[in-house]
Amino acid sequence: MDVNELFSATLNPDPNVRKHAELQLRQAERTPGFMAAVLEAAASSQQNLAVQQAAAVYFKNRVSRSWEDDSSVPNQIALAADEKEMIKQRVVPILVSAPVSVRPQWTTVLNKILAQEFPDKWPGFMETTIQLLRNQGDLQSTYAGLVCLLEITRVYRWKSGDKRVELDRIIRETFPVLLEIGKGLVGQESVEAGEMLRLVLKIYKSTIGLELSKELQAPGSIVPWGSLFLQVVGKPLPEDDNGERDVTAWWKAKKWAYYSLNRLFERYGNPSTLSGVAVEQYDDFAKGFVEQFAPEILKAYLQQVELWIQRKIWLSKRCLQYTIHYLEACIKPKSTWVLLKPHVENLVSHFIFPQICLTDEDLESWEDDPAEYIHRKLDFFEDFSSTDFAAIEFLVALAQKRKKHTFMGILGFVNSTLTAQEAAGGAANPREKEGALRMVGALAHIILAKNSPVSGMMEGFFVSHVFPEFQSPHGFLRARACEMMNRFADLQFQDKNNLGVAYTSIINCMGDKEIPVRVEAALALQPMIQHPEIKNAMVSRIPQIMEQLLNLSNEIDVDALANVMEQFVEVFSEELTPFAVQLTESLRNTFLRIMQESVDQQKKFNPNDDFDASEYVDDKSLAALGVLNTIGTLILSLENTPEVLLQLENILLPVIQLILGNEVVDLYGEIFEIIDSCTFSSKMISPTMWQIFELLHKCFKDSGMDFIDEMLPCLDNFVSYGADSLRQNPTYLAAIIDIIQTVFSSDRLGAQDRICGCKLAEAVLLNLRGAADQYLQFFADQAMVRLTTPGEVKTADYRIYLLELVINCIYYNPAATLAVLEQRGYVQSFFNLWFTNIGSFSRVHDKKLSICAITALFSIPQEQVPASIQAGWPQLMQGLLTLFEGLPQAMKNREEMEKEIGNEDDFGDFGDTWGEDEWDEAAEEDEDVKDKDNEYLDFLSREADKLHGGTVALGDEEEEFVVDDLEEEPLFETPLDKIDAYILFRDLFSTLQQSQPQVYSGLTGRLSDREQALFQSIVNQAQVNASK
């Protein structure tokens, strides 16, 4: 069977025939000349179009997966060099003559080749493209030239700086021709002209996304191109009643014209938005653009808006969105604001407000797919063409940046709209009422700002306009009433009866028949617990409320619901303890359902593939994360109920097995936290948890190595609370050591990961005293090799943790560790490093560890201490006293931090924190508004510059950055916590005085008066501590 017959067979309705043909194609891939035969089948104009398309699709896929020789792709059959050259010679001529339906396949082929070959390996392609563009008498050639140029610009789309030099040359050579082509097309009406103009504008758009070339900044370029864009924006287009106007070529061309005008202004032409290096690059251009071009663009947009308001033209969603974004950008600069200002009232009432109101599409979604409705309304970042959210952003920008001129007018419009709707009675338009309330909700953070002149009126507003909508026959108004309570969570009701009405109404809406109402009610209920009256009222209802939330989360996957449940579990932990097992089972089932639906969804799109859980990314992922966070919070609240925790471990075992067993890396952080919470709260390792430990070890070796920082707390718990089992089961201990060895040896990991290795090794040495002798040499070697290798240790915290690994070895077995250090020649370098950095041991743990290690050294019989080390004993004594001198302050710091953790606000900040803290009418006149966001960006840029220049050369070495002391970790527990350092000191020197008087005299005889006084104060403190 020849190639043509094979592709014809792939279209056969008989699945057996299709499969057989596909198998033969795969077998033929290794046959010399096969790709040439496929190319002929895909390019032949004599071929049946369906067969030609099938061959072109196959050819495209083969080039996409085989152009690069990638050893990581199993069974890849890479294209030979002669095949590649043949394809490069043929692809452009084929594109010129290809039928419209086949063009996309050849465009993709071209894109793949150019990404790998251009310009170095395909230097002649640019000249071919220019020839095609200049052949304007042949539409096919011109079209192909536009496609070629577009794919060239895409090669440079995300490149900047020196990597765009070649693109600048391409712009100089081609854009004058491109501009003439565009001018010739804009006056035409045909579909072909619209498609070619779309390509012209998309080429321009592809070059301005990241940077604006000097060539395009020049007046000789920006003026004619801007004129072309404005011509396209204002071009009347015929009506099309098939409902798909926005996907036609002409409307796509309009979209890219709007995009380019917006991009030129918002990224490069508005001085108030420039920051960092962009100021140097575009400041001159921006100053000219904002004064000369931006106002003209605004006038053109306002003309289109007025025609839209008069219903004389139709605008696509994208064109509306770009228009609104441009209007928003015009609020800050004086040159555009003075033009925009007279139109604000008309814009808000007749253009912005209609965008904010619910559409027929919204109501259809409410009825037919409430989950989709909720996701779009709650997660607007996913809907980039949303006009309603663009309108809200414009409204907020107006009220914030030009408050004096606009804010009260906006509220006046809202009030008149609501009043008119109430007066209309049965003829009222509920969509307009909902839209008006939405406008108020969007401005909540401004209305409630400090010193706001209207905040005191809001209680009456709620009584008149919001509370009645809880009883509305329209579900979307009930939902909006709930959302208003959420937005105005910080409103202080003077009449507590009104607060009670709000709470009762929200509780009633929790049982509403409409899912979106129940979701908004749940989200509104969360911030209400900041009111003591509401919190107390909820105590008796919390089990019922949690049941409603769980049922709702099983109806719809919204991650915000999990946040509500997590908050309630934390605040009402005592009331929920009797229901903990039932609640955990429900949460587990919800999580497993979400994961199964993710599997099903993935298989639906890839029915022939095995599901790879590590790659799932869909709308349910955030919901799954939220459920896991709620489970973690619940576990922490049960710290004093170990018998319940044991039950929860068994309940959660399937969840942990699913995530670790299927390598769902997106959820590793949360599941490690749950394992940490279980083991930390119970202070023991159950048989169930040892099963999980085996999974953890396997997970670490397979895909979890990069997550060692997140995995460390639970691994530390296995060592700290499972020490007896580790002693009894060498397999478990070997797994822990294997993890430590891998962390230190893997090239994939860096300094922060090695710190985790130091911490885990410390846990072994502190908790398994007498059972880790065989690992002392390995631990000491790993630390000292890095400490003595120039350039290896670049941060102070890394140095401290490496030092403390050796110090831990000394505390574990001082004689054996000294022998290792002396054998390796590390004695002098280690002790020098130790006492050079002793001032950096700022935490209680650091100081106590060094104190314990030094006392352990002093406890060695003198005859076992090498003479070279004995000579440094007085320096050790001084170091010991220095550590004690700073210990009281370190202990005080830790106590204060523990108090801070214990006094943290139970509720946090439920209000909208992204607005202003205080009412401000600083922009009194029509001057430029300084962009505070850019001040922050400038700050970040300056800080980044400091970092890049932060090392100071000192001879042949570099001085590391000065870093703050390590922070205390109040929840960090080790066996050192049980040791009283003062009593340890007293007992040591009492023993030395009796059993080794010469050592005692050698250590204390050289002390200064100040050091003698410090010595005595330590002994006195020990007496006090011992008497407690």
Side-chain angles (χ1 to χ4, degrees):
M1 187 179 291
D2 68 13
V3 169
N4 292 328
E5 292 174 342
L6 279 176
F7 284 112
S8 180
T10 62
L11 304 173
N12 195 293
D14 186 338
N16 294 321
V17 175
R18 289 201 307 273
K19 288 182 179 179
H20 182 65
E22 291 165 0
L23 178 62
Q24 287 185 287
L25 282 172
R26 282 196 292 270
Q27 292 172 343
E29 286 182 347
R30 297 183 183 276
T31 305
F34 174 69
M35 281 297 283
V38 175
L39 185 65
E40 289 299 330
S44 174
S45 59
Q46 308 300 317
Q47 187 65 263
N48 175 281
L49 184 58
V51 174
Q52 189 179 359
Q53 270 188 308
V57 170
Y58 174 89
F59 189 86
K60 173 201 69 175
N61 293 337
R62 179 72 197 286
V63 168
S64 296
R65 69 173 183 266
S66 302
W67 193 268
E68 300 172 84
D69 190 358
D70 190 349
S71 58
S72 66
V73 178
N75 303 318
Q76 185 198 38
I77 305 172
L79 293 171
D82 58 341
E83 288 180 311
K84 292 182 178 180
E85 286 304 314
M86 177 269 297
I87 293 169
K88 285 157 64 175
Q89 291 174 12
R90 296 285 310 276
V91 65
V92 175
I94 291 173
L95 178 64
V96 172
S97 60
V100 174
S101 61
V102 185
R103 282 175 183 168
Q105 317 305 329
W106 295 111
T107 302
T108 303
V109 169
L110 194 60
N111 177 274
K112 178 65 177 180
I113 299 173
L114 288 172
Q116 302 300 320
E117 306 278 321
F118 187 82
D120 297 338
K121 298 179 182 179
W122 202 353
F125 185 78
M126 191 64 240
E127 184 58 36
T128 300
T129 299
I130 293 174
Q131 290 175 3
L132 290 171
L133 290 173
R134 287 176 176 165
N135 188 11
Q136 295 180 32
D138 181 359
L139 287 181
Q140 290 276 77
S141 295
T142 306
Y143 180 89
L146 292 173
V147 171
C148 291
L149 184 55
L150 175 59
E151 296 309 319
I152 288 174
T153 58
R154 281 178 166 172
V155 172
Y156 298 94
R157 185 167 39 173
W158 305 118
K159 294 181 179 179
S160 60
D162 294 342
K163 295 180 180 179
R164 285 174 59 98
V165 172
E166 180 66 17
L167 177 62
D168 294 338
R169 183 184 69 81
I170 292 168
I171 290 173
R172 285 195 300 272
E173 292 185 6
T174 62
F175 270 44
V177 178
L178 190 67
L179 179 61
E180 292 306 312
I181 294 173
K183 288 179 178 179
L185 293 168
V186 72
Q188 300 182 33
E189 304 293 338
S190 68
V191 173
E192 292 77 13
E195 176 61 21
M196 292 174 69
L197 184 60
R198 178 190 71 84
L199 289 173
V200 169
L201 300 185
K202 197 167 184 180
I203 290 167
Y204 190 97
K205 172 253 182 188
S206 295
T207 64
I208 65 172
L210 202 60
E211 291 185 3
L212 186 66
S213 298
K214 286 288 186 182
E215 286 75 13
L216 298 183
Q217 295 180 41
S221 172
I222 197 69
V223 171
W225 275 106
S227 299
L228 176 61
F229 297 144
L230 290 176
Q231 275 186 276
V232 176
V233 166
K235 181 179 175 64
L237 295 180
E239 292 188 7
D240 184 349
D241 295 329
N242 64 7
E244 297 183 354
R245 279 185 283 187
D246 56 338
V247 298
T248 62
W250 279 106
W251 277 105
K252 287 183 178 179
K254 272 186 177 281
K255 174 180 70 175
W256 295 132
Y258 275 100
Y259 171 90
S260 296
L261 290 170
N262 281 29
R263 192 69 171 177
L264 287 170
F265 181 42
E266 294 173 8
R267 186 172 177 88
Y268 309 109
N270 187 346
S272 69
T273 62
L274 297 179
S275 63
V277 295
V279 175
E280 300 176 16
Q281 291 177 312
Y282 307 116
D283 190 48
D284 291 340
F285 173 79
K287 288 175 180 176
F289 194 96
V290 76
E291 293 293 336
Q292 300 170 27
F293 295 98
E296 297 305 313
I297 299 171
L298 176 59
K299 291 175 185 177
Y301 280 22
L302 289 173
Q303 289 175 2
Q304 294 297 299
V305 168
E306 186 59 33
L307 291 172
W308 183 89
I309 291 173
Q310 297 171 9
R311 300 190 176 183
K312 293 182 178 180
I313 64 169
W314 177 88
L315 290 174
S316 69
K317 284 185 177 180
R318 277 299 178 89
C319 292
L320 286 169
Q321 182 201 31
Y322 286 136
T323 299
I324 298 169
H325 282 323
Y326 191 87
L327 295 177
E328 181 185 344
C330 290
I331 293 172
K332 297 174 188 175
K334 176 184 177 181
S335 58
T336 51
W337 168 244
V338 293
L339 293 175
L340 182 64
K341 180 181 174 182
H343 300 276
V344 165
E345 183 177 346
N346 185 53
L347 284 171
V348 169
S349 57
H350 295 103
F351 182 59
I352 296 300
F353 181 60
Q355 314 301 331
I356 292 173
C357 292
L358 292 172
T359 64
D360 291 341
E361 184 182 353
D362 289 328
L363 294 183
E364 184 178 340
S365 177
W366 176 287
E367 294 293 338
D368 299 338
D369 192 353
E372 175 61 26
Y373 175 88
I374 293 167
H375 283 299
R376 200 189 81 76
K377 292 299 181 182
L378 292 182
D379 193 9
F380 57 89
F381 293 109
E382 293 185 0
D383 192 350
F384 297 109
S385 62
S386 167
T387 57
D388 58 335
F389 285 108
I392 288 292
E393 289 173 356
F394 171 77
L395 198 69
V396 171
L398 265 183
Q400 282 184 325
K401 306 304 180 185
R402 302 291 180 178
K403 189 182 282 96
K404 178 181 178 180
H405 301 292
T406 66
F407 183 71
M408 297 308 294
I410 294 171
L411 293 188
F413 168 76
V414 169
N415 188 61
S416 63
T417 300
L418 292 174
T419 302
Q421 290 301 312
E422 290 170 3
N429 184 342
R431 296 194 204 183
E432 291 193 2
K433 182 179 287 188
E434 195 271 350
L437 291 177
R438 186 180 183 189
M439 289 175 70
V440 176
L443 301 177
H445 60 293
I446 303 174
I447 293 171
L448 295 180
K450 185 178 179 182
N451 300 325
S452 164
V454 296
S455 60
M457 307 175 190
M458 292 313 296
E459 183 169 356
F461 178 89
F462 267 73
V463 172
S464 300
H465 300 299
V466 178
F467 288 176
E469 302 312 325
F470 283 116
Q471 311 300 324
S472 172
H474 303 286
F476 56 81
L477 275 171
R478 299 196 298 276
R480 183 60 60 194
C482 293
E483 195 259 358
M484 287 288 287
M485 286 304 307
N486 192 0
R487 287 277 187 172
F488 285 86
D490 292 333
L491 178 62
Q492 298 300 313
F493 287 94
Q494 299 303 311
D495 185 345
K496 296 304 179 182
N497 291 326
N498 289 331
L499 180 61
V501 170
Y503 169 66
T504 303
S505 299
I506 294 294
I507 290 294
N508 290 338
C509 286
M510 288 282 291
D512 198 279
K513 63 180 181 179
E514 304 276 9
I515 292 179
V517 179
R518 298 204 298 275
V519 171
E520 290 290 2
L523 300 183
L525 189 59
Q526 180 185 11
M528 294 193 79
I529 60 177
Q530 66 181 301
H531 300 286
E533 304 92 335
I534 303 302
K535 180 186 175 186
N536 293 335
M538 286 179 64
V539 167
S540 61
R541 298 184 60 98
I542 194 62
Q544 178 186 347
I545 291 172
M546 289 300 295
E547 184 178 0
Q548 288 178 303
L549 288 170
L550 282 166
N551 291 337
L552 185 56
S553 66
N554 281 318
E555 290 184 72
I556 182 170
D557 297 315
V558 178
D559 61 297
L561 290 176
N563 296 335
V564 177
M565 288 191 287
E566 183 180 0
Q567 184 75 44
F568 287 174
V569 164
E570 183 176 350
V571 174
F572 300 102
S573 57
E574 185 176 340
E575 290 78 14
L576 288 172
T577 297
F579 307 94
V581 172
Q582 178 185 352
L583 181 56
T584 305
E585 287 176 339
S586 297
L587 290 167
R588 175 202 61 191
N589 294 339
T590 297
F591 176 83
L592 294 176
R593 174 190 58 77
I594 293 171
M595 294 300 293
Q596 185 58 52
E597 289 176 0
S598 294
V599 171
D600 294 341
Q601 184 175 355
Q602 182 78 6
K603 287 187 174 180
K604 180 175 69 174
F605 288 109
N606 299 282
N608 298 321
D609 296 340
D610 291 329
F611 174 62
D612 182 358
S614 67
E615 296 182 356
Y616 92 96
V617 179
D618 54 35
D619 292 339
K620 298 179 179 295
S621 59
L622 289 177
L625 287 171
V627 172
L628 292 180
N629 287 330
T630 304
I631 291 172
T633 302
L634 178 61
I635 291 168
L636 288 175
S637 71
L638 298 169
E639 185 174 1
N640 298 321
T641 56
E643 68 286 349
V644 176
L645 285 170
L646 286 175
Q647 294 182 65
L648 300 195
E649 290 176 2
N650 290 315
I651 292 170
L652 295 174
L653 182 59
V655 172
I656 299 171
Q657 288 173 328
L658 184 148
I659 293 173
L660 299 184
N662 290 283
E663 300 184 11
V664 188
V665 295
D666 290 332
L667 302 179
Y668 275 2
E670 284 69 26
I671 207 63
F672 294 152
E673 194 169 326
I674 284 176
I675 298 171
D676 172 36
S677 297
C678 284
T679 49
F680 181 80
S681 296
S682 63
K683 301 293 189 292
M684 60 171 289
I685 309 298
S686 67
T688 299
M689 278 298 161
W690 281 119
Q691 291 182 51
I692 290 170
F693 173 75
E694 295 176 7
L695 278 174
L696 271 177
H697 181 225
K698 183 178 184 302
C699 166
F700 172 83
K701 299 296 285 186
D702 293 339
S703 59
M705 188 184 305
D706 297 323
F707 297 86
I708 183 60
D709 195 33
E710 292 88 345
M711 193 184 290
L712 177 65
C714 56
L715 292 174
D716 183 88
N717 291 344
F718 279 105
V719 177
S720 299
Y721 307 126
D724 291 341
S725 296
L726 290 172
R727 293 174 187 274
Q728 297 163 12
N729 192 327
T731 304
Y732 292 156
L733 180 55
I736 290 289
I737 299 301
D738 177 58
I739 291 173
I740 297 171
Q741 291 173 334
T742 304
V743 168
F744 277 111
S745 62
S746 175
D747 293 335
R748 282 169 50 184
L749 304 180
Q752 190 60 42
D753 305 302
R754 311 259 196 259
I755 288 175
C756 294
C758 292
K759 290 179 177 180
L760 191 55
E762 176 180 82
V764 170
L765 292 167
L766 290 177
N767 290 279
L768 296 173
R769 300 184 69 76
D773 296 61
Q774 64 269 42
Y775 308 119
L776 276 182
Q777 181 172 319
F778 169 75
F779 291 157
D781 276 346
Q782 291 301 314
M784 291 307 302
V785 164
R786 287 166 174 79
L787 286 167
T788 56
T789 300
E792 174 71 20
V793 181
K794 297 179 180 179
T795 61
D797 57 342
Y798 187 24
R799 181 189 298 111
I800 289 171
Y801 280 109
L802 288 170
L803 280 170
E804 289 191 345
L805 180 53
V806 185
I807 296 168
N808 268 292
C809 291
I810 290 174
Y811 176 48
Y812 176 91
N813 189 327
T817 303
L818 288 179
V820 170
L821 294 176
E822 189 165 35
Q823 179 187 358
R824 304 289 194 186
Y826 288 138
V827 171
Q828 183 175 355
S829 56
F830 167 71
F831 280 98
N832 285 342
L833 282 167
W834 190 2
F835 289 101
T836 300
N837 290 276
I838 207 163
S840 299
F841 296 159
S842 57
R843 301 175 302 174
V844 173
H845 175 80
D846 302 327
K847 294 182 184 297
K848 288 181 74 171
L849 175 63
S850 281
I851 288 170
C852 289
I854 294 172
T855 56
L857 284 170
F858 288 164
S859 300
I860 304 174
Q862 191 172 15
E863 62 273 12
Q864 295 182 21
V865 181
S868 60
I869 297 175
Q870 285 187 35
W873 250 222
Q875 187 181 7
L876 271 177
M877 184 63 188
Q878 290 178 334
L880 182 60
L881 293 174
T882 299
L883 290 164
F884 270 106
E885 190 172 24
L887 184 59
Q889 184 60 49
M891 294 173 70
K892 181 181 178 182
N893 293 341
R894 181 174 178 131
E895 288 173 3
E896 289 176 353
M897 185 169 288
E898 289 172 346
K899 289 178 182 178
E900 288 177 9
I901 292 176
N903 293 332
E904 283 182 350
D905 183 8
D906 288 338
F907 305 113
D909 183 8
F910 291 99
D912 193 337
T913 60
W914 56 276
E916 299 140 310
D917 294 323
E918 190 169 352
W919 185 266
D920 178 23
E921 290 187 356
E924 292 288 337
E925 305 300 331
D926 298 331
E927 300 300 323
D928 291 326
V929 176
K930 195 168 184 179
D931 197 322
K932 295 181 180 178
D933 294 337
N934 275 6
E935 291 178 6
Y936 179 62
L937 292 175
D938 286 336
F939 167 75
L940 292 180
S941 178
R942 291 193 299 270
E943 292 302 305
D945 290 341
K946 290 179 184 177
L947 283 176
H948 290 307
T951 54
V952 181
L954 296 176
D956 295 331
E957 298 181 354
E958 284 190 342
E959 181 73 16
E960 290 87 5
F961 294 113
V962 177
V963 298
D964 294 333
D965 293 337
L966 296 180
E967 287 189 357
E968 285 286 356
E969 301 175 64
L971 300 179
F972 178 51
E973 298 180 353
T974 76
L976 294 181
D977 297 337
K978 301 175 182 177
I979 295 175
D980 187 310
Y982 293 93
I983 294 176
L984 180 69
F985 179 94
R986 181 202 64 182
D987 292 348
L988 166 71
F989 282 94
S990 176
T991 302
L992 287 177
Q993 190 173 23
Q994 296 175 17
S995 60
Q996 298 187 67
Q998 290 182 334
V999 174
Y1000 178 86
S1001 299
L1003 292 174
T1004 61
R1006 302 180 184 178
L1007 296 179
S1008 65
D1009 291 343
R1010 176 181 170 280
E1011 290 169 337
Q1012 287 282 3
L1014 180 58
F1015 182 99
Q1016 189 57 48
S1017 70
I1018 297 170
V1019 174
N1020 293 341
Q1021 185 62 48
Q1023 299 296 111
V1024 174
N1025 293 354
S1027 63
K1028 292 181 180 178

